Amino acid sequence: MKTIIDYLDELKEKLGSDYKTAKLMKTNQTTLSTIRNRNQCGDETAIKIADLLEVDRTEVLIAAAIARSEGEVKKSWENISKHMGIAASVTLASVLMLGNSSAGAFADLATFAYQVCILC
C-alpha cells in the first residue's frame, strides 16, 4: 500500500508543485512540509488528497491511519489494507473472467472468492 507521502508525491507530480497542491487543498506549503516530515496527516487532509487525485477515499484514509498508528493497531490497519487488495483482485478477476466465461469458470471463481476474500 502507498504511504501518505506517496500520495503527496503523486499530487505534486500531477499539479506541478507543492505550492499548487497546497493552494488546491486550501492550506499552505508549511502544512505540506509538516505532513512530509512527520509522515502523518489527519482524515480531512487525506480526503482532500484522495479527491484531488481522483482515487478512492478509503485507500488514502487507510494510509493516513497506518501512518498515525503503532503496534497492534497499525498491524490491524495493514491487515485491512491487504484484505482490500485481495477484494480488488477478486473483483478484477471476476470482470476479466466473465468477459469470456462459461458457467463452470464462474462457479470456480465464486468458490475462489468465497475462500480467499473475507470482505466479499
Side-chain angles (χ1 to χ4, degrees):
M1 172 139 212
K2 295 179 187 176
T3 67
I4 206 66
I5 304 301
D6 294 332
Y7 289 111
L8 279 181
D9 289 344
E10 276 186 50
L11 265 180
K12 183 177 179 179
E13 186 176 317
K14 179 180 178 179
L15 301 173
S17 70
D18 274 342
Y19 173 78
K20 289 180 183 177
T21 300
K23 191 171 183 175
L24 284 174
M25 289 177 61
K26 297 182 181 165
T27 189
N28 56 51
Q29 287 178 274
T30 304
T31 300
L32 293 184
S33 293
T34 301
I35 292 169
R36 287 183 186 282
N37 290 333
R38 294 184 181 166
N39 191 28
Q40 293 182 1
C41 74
D43 293 338
E44 293 297 323
T45 301
I47 288 173
K48 288 178 185 179
I49 292 169
D51 290 350
L52 288 171
L53 285 172
E54 299 175 340
V55 298
D56 183 15
R57 288 177 167 185
T58 306
E59 181 181 323
V60 184
L61 282 167
I62 290 174
I66 288 171
R68 291 189 308 263
S69 303
E70 295 178 356
E72 290 300 314
V73 174
K74 185 172 191 157
K75 287 179 187 176
S76 294
W77 278 117
E78 289 169 341
N79 195 31
I80 290 169
S81 172
K82 288 176 190 171
H83 286 297
M84 282 186 57
I86 291 169
S89 296
V90 170
T91 301
L92 178 60
S94 300
V95 170
L96 293 174
M97 287 182 74
L98 289 176
N100 58 357
S101 71
S102 65
F106 182 74
D108 291 342
L109 177 63
T111 301
F112 171 75
Y114 177 77
Q115 292 171 345
V116 174
C117 181
I118 65 169
L119 296 178
C120 297

